[in-house]
Amino acid sequence: MNMLLRPTFYAITLLSILVGWSDSQGQDRSGSNYVQEVLQWQSENSQRLKRPDGWLALTGNFWLQEGENRVSTGEGATIRLPDSAPSSIDAVFRVVGDKVQFIARSDHRYECKESEVKEQWLELDSVAKETDCPDQIVIESRYRLQLVRRSGRLAVRVRDPDNDILKRFGGKTWYPVDSKWRVKASYRSAKVKQSLEGTNIKGLPIALDILGEATFVQDGEQYTLLAQEEGDQLFFVFHDRTCSQDSYGPCRFLNVDKPKIDAEAPVDIVLDFNKAYNPPCAVSPHTLCPLPPKQNRLPIEIRAGESYLPRARRLHRMEMAMGPKPDDSRRVPLDVREVSREKLDGYSRIKLSFASESADRVPAWLLIPDGAKKNPAMLCLHQTITIGKDEPVGLGAQESKRQALHLVKRGYVCLAPDYPSFGEYSYDFKDSFEKGNYQSGTMKAIWNNLRAVDLLCSLAEVDPERIGAIGHSLGGHNTLFTAAFDERLKVAVSSCGFCSFHRYYGGNLKGWTSDRYMPKIALVYGNDPRRMPFDFDDVLLAIYPRGIFVMAPQHDANFDAVGVREVVEKITPFYNNAGLSGNLEVAYPDAGHEWPEAEREQAYTFIDRVLKK
């Protein structure tokens, strides 16, 4: 029996397999130096995706046929360029056996090795089954074409380093660094490479060349991983029980420097699962990632390395408590009706209502700066107060809650709607629930706010690419919930709006359970934070990597500042690893359930930085 295809362990080696060991330099690998090293590695791994030759730049993978293969933007092209490319580009890849020639046929700039070319022979390693041509054809200093061989077939990868997906990419997400998952393993190399039949992410058969096997012990159990080769490193493709839960469903990858082999004796290596990462198919549909051999499907949870909980799944968790967000069939014409208009100091204040859905209208105030034309805009959401929308526009007693008034004077178009059941907005929640329209007041408010953003986007005075939301208390979490579901909001500012559920009044969630908010928290989840399907790290990570400002006073009786810190500590590494630490700002003033002047100004400055840049 082939020793690589069974869980072989060697007693002398197992005695040396320890968890949480110190390396030969004597540095405690569970200490801060190790954590910083891993965080730096994770950040660099994330940033590599954004390089011009990275996976996010990939816009297509096209198989070549013998003869001429046309390069163009048209439907008849074998290698199709992105729609952003000039339609007049015309070139071919000519395949003659194992040789490939690139020929330019249009008057555009074609470069290879930074020199302009019209014809170029491209060479691949004639022995390797899986290989990439080191030279790339660059068209118009932007579009990159790379010849590759996969499973014996020739293909051309097309990359556009200026595509929208790459521009919007915020960064990867990672589990907290845990030294438990930096494990010592015993590696034994095969005398000769062993070939296993496998498949790639597209279900196509591929050959997996196995170089050796690594064995390790975790929590008293023994496990084996088969290793492939990637340059001067061992390459592990593995699946564990976090896959399809909190990490990427098909598999994850792990690289280890190839050890020096001493005859047939096993050697020690380190499997640092904190550096496990998702395959490129997690971010690009144009890749052909290998799936793990069945021997590499581990029956344990490895909560380390790159995680993968897409925004859609976080929103689904929220919907489990809020009820589903309505689909677009509820989007009726806004039918904006103006009630009154006043010219005030530097701006106009307009009372209006708009249709959020059939047979329902939302009262709101709209503030427009004098001379506004494609200005940034803010959705301004009120706290729990009888007068509702009147407070943000300056008609309440508290200066600290006049966000719309403050912001319109800074040049923002501001829309302040009533939350259902406040101000001039009567709403029968129970009737809505019985008709099956909504399962919570929270989701009804979210839907109304999405329509409010529709209204802002429709105004000639508003730049639809520069819209945010702001609110205090009820308005604070209403802002976050809305921004989670609406990516048009580029910045979300929450004052006294949340804390982790288990820190909310000692874990008693009754305050969240009225019809105005989320009755399912009581009816389905028993007011128990341990049973809740989501927490506020899910909400904030559904907004990530957009701008978030959190104001959390140290003495807020509603939302425990310790519970805010817990949430913020969970999301901060996401922003830091993506190189976007400036997109997250938090203030903890020495105050109660209030919005002090200094922190208001800090929040407004943050909004300016995001929406006025």
Side-chain angles (χ1 to χ4, degrees):
M1 181 181 290
N2 188 320
M3 68 94 178
L4 290 172
L5 305 184
R6 66 182 191 278
T8 306
F9 285 81
Y10 305 93
I12 188 171
T13 304
L14 291 179
L15 293 176
S16 67
I17 298 179
L18 302 174
V19 178
W21 60 292
S22 295
D23 67 11
S24 59
Q25 302 300 315
Q27 169 65 46
D28 178 6
R29 304 306 292 180
S30 64
S32 60
N33 287 353
Y34 169 63
V35 172
Q36 291 305 313
E37 174 213 323
V38 173
L39 291 177
Q40 179 63 29
W41 181 93
Q42 292 175 349
S43 178
E44 292 171 355
N45 179 275
S46 180
Q47 291 303 309
R48 278 198 293 272
L49 283 177
K50 301 183 76 170
R51 296 187 315 199
D53 59 349
W55 295 113
L56 284 169
L58 194 64
T59 62
N61 184 84
F62 304 95
W63 298 108
L64 299 183
Q65 305 293 330
E66 185 77 11
E68 292 194 350
N69 299 265
R70 188 180 175 208
V71 180
S72 181
T73 59
E75 290 290 343
T78 305
I79 299 98
R80 186 166 181 178
L81 299 176
D83 291 340
S84 58
S87 59
S88 53
I89 291 175
D90 189 13
V92 297
F93 282 89
R94 186 165 67 91
V95 179
V96 183
D98 286 336
K99 296 182 178 181
V100 180
Q101 183 183 26
F102 173 81
I103 305 171
R105 290 181 172 169
S106 60
D107 188 19
H108 291 274
R109 185 172 180 83
Y110 301 89
E111 299 168 88
C112 186
K113 302 177 185 178
E114 299 183 356
S115 298
E116 191 164 5
V117 298
K118 288 299 180 183
E119 294 187 9
Q120 178 76 22
W121 286 95
L122 301 172
E123 296 184 5
L124 290 171
D125 185 337
S126 60
V127 177
K129 295 180 181 179
E130 310 285 313
T131 185
D132 300 349
C133 181
D135 302 327
Q136 298 186 41
I137 303 295
V138 182
I139 304 177
E140 291 295 297
S141 301
R142 175 173 173 177
Y143 306 98
R144 296 167 177 252
L145 311 181
Q146 182 183 29
L147 179 67
V148 301
R149 182 186 286 115
R150 291 293 179 267
S151 301
R153 298 178 64 189
L154 294 170
V156 169
R157 286 177 177 157
V158 178
R159 288 183 170 90
D160 176 10
D162 200 33
N163 73 65
D164 289 339
I165 292 176
L166 190 152
K167 288 179 179 178
R168 292 196 302 266
F169 179 68
K172 296 185 172 190
T173 60
W174 306 84
Y175 292 102
V177 178
D178 187 349
S179 61
K180 167 185 175 179
W181 290 110
R182 186 180 192 273
V183 301
K184 203 171 191 178
S186 173
Y187 176 74
R188 180 179 286 272
S189 178
K191 292 182 179 179
V192 294
K193 289 182 182 179
Q194 305 294 315
S195 183
L196 294 180
E197 291 185 1
T199 58
N200 63 24
I201 194 70
K202 303 292 187 183
L204 302 173
I206 58 174
L208 305 176
D209 291 332
I210 306 302
L211 196 66
E213 67 179 10
T215 60
F216 66 99
V217 170
Q218 191 71 4
D219 296 329
E221 298 293 331
Q222 306 172 22
Y223 304 100
T224 298
L225 286 174
L226 302 184
Q228 300 176 64
E229 186 176 26
E230 190 171 69
D232 58 356
Q233 293 187 314
L234 301 178
F235 175 53
F236 298 92
V237 183
F238 71 95
H239 180 284
D240 69 281
R241 285 183 174 173
T242 68
C243 292
S244 294
Q245 299 299 320
D246 296 327
S247 64
Y248 186 58
C251 61
R252 286 187 286 170
F253 291 172
L254 179 65
N255 292 86
V256 176
D257 288 340
K258 195 183 298 181
K260 294 182 180 179
I261 305 300
D262 182 12
E264 296 184 8
V267 296
D268 287 346
I269 63 171
V270 175
L271 299 176
D272 193 343
F273 289 102
N274 291 295
K275 297 180 179 179
Y277 60 98
N278 291 340
C281 48
V283 296
S284 173
H286 307 298
T287 56
L288 300 172
C289 306
L291 296 180
K294 63 181 180 181
Q295 293 87 345
N296 285 12
R297 300 182 71 85
L298 302 176
I300 55 174
E301 285 190 349
I302 300 179
R303 305 189 70 79
E306 187 174 356
S307 60
Y308 186 80
L309 191 56
R311 174 172 169 269
R313 285 175 56 194
R314 295 188 188 277
L315 296 179
H316 176 68
R317 288 183 176 186
M318 295 166 63
E319 288 177 307
M320 291 174 68
M322 300 173 178
K325 179 179 76 70
D327 61 34
D328 282 345
S329 64
R330 296 265 188 99
R331 265 191 164 90
V332 299
L334 287 165
D335 185 26
V336 178
R337 298 176 187 174
E338 186 172 316
V339 177
S340 65
R341 180 184 290 255
E342 302 170 83
K343 178 69 177 69
L344 299 172
D345 183 18
Y347 68 99
S348 295
R349 185 172 67 198
I350 304 162
K351 179 179 277 192
L352 54 80
S353 69
F354 62 90
S356 63
E357 55 190 312
S358 178
D360 189 45
R361 300 189 65 82
V362 179
W365 285 109
L366 175 65
L367 309 186
I368 301 179
D370 291 350
K373 185 177 182 181
K374 294 299 179 182
N375 284 33
M378 291 294 291
L379 180 64
C380 300
L381 305 177
H382 63 78
Q383 66 170 332
T384 301
I385 188 168
T386 303
I387 62 173
K389 67 181 181 302
D390 287 0
E391 186 174 57
V393 300
L395 299 178
Q398 298 185 58
E399 178 67 27
S400 64
K401 309 305 187 306
R402 297 173 174 173
Q403 275 66 59
L405 179 59
H406 300 158
L407 288 166
V408 72
K409 292 184 176 182
R410 297 174 79 104
Y412 291 87
V413 175
C414 296
L415 183 64
D418 276 326
Y419 191 99
S421 77
F422 289 99
E424 299 177 286
Y425 189 6
S426 298
Y427 192 79
D428 190 335
F429 293 104
K430 291 192 181 300
D431 179 66
S432 177
F433 298 164
E434 289 173 1
K435 290 178 178 177
N437 293 331
Y438 294 94
Q439 296 178 17
S440 71
T442 294
M443 183 53 73
K444 171 57 178 168
I446 291 170
W447 177 255
N448 287 356
N449 294 339
L450 301 185
R451 299 309 322 274
V453 177
D454 289 346
L455 194 160
L456 286 171
C457 289
S458 72
L459 299 176
E461 295 88 350
V462 171
D463 180 349
E465 297 300 317
R466 295 190 293 156
I467 301 176
I470 187 171
H472 174 78
S473 194
L474 164 63
H477 49 257
N478 195 13
T479 286
L480 296 178
F481 294 153
T482 302
F485 281 94
D486 195 334
E487 291 185 285
R488 294 174 297 179
L489 296 175
K490 301 303 192 296
V491 62
V493 175
S494 172
S495 164
C496 301
F498 73 96
C499 66
S500 58
F501 281 127
H502 78 279
R503 290 283 182 179
Y504 180 81
Y505 288 97
N508 182 358
L509 304 185
K510 184 178 179 180
W512 284 105
T513 63
S514 75
D515 290 346
R516 279 177 172 171
Y517 308 123
M518 292 173 272
K520 291 179 71 175
I521 290 179
L523 298 174
V524 177
Y525 302 107
N527 287 343
D528 187 347
R530 294 170 299 180
R531 295 172 58 189
M532 281 293 291
F534 80 95
D535 209 334
F536 275 90
D537 56 311
D538 289 301
V539 180
L540 270 61
L541 287 174
I543 301 171
Y544 164 87
R546 290 169 283 152
I548 300 175
F549 183 94
V550 174
M551 205 287 295
Q554 298 175 37
H555 311 295
D556 188 340
N558 289 20
F559 300 106
D560 186 344
V562 174
V564 178
R565 290 183 187 273
E566 290 176 345
V567 172
V568 170
E569 286 173 0
K570 289 181 179 180
I571 71 166
T572 297
F574 291 63
Y575 280 88
N576 290 346
N577 285 347
L580 295 169
S581 57
N583 281 14
L584 175 65
E585 195 166 318
V586 187
Y588 298 101
D590 185 8
H593 191 75
E594 186 50 78
W595 200 337
E597 183 177 0
E599 284 68 36
R600 292 201 309 273
E601 182 59 31
Q602 185 180 350
Y604 299 155
T605 300
F606 181 86
I607 295 169
D608 287 345
R609 191 169 75 242
V610 175
L611 296 186
K612 291 186 177 180
K613 61 182 179 182

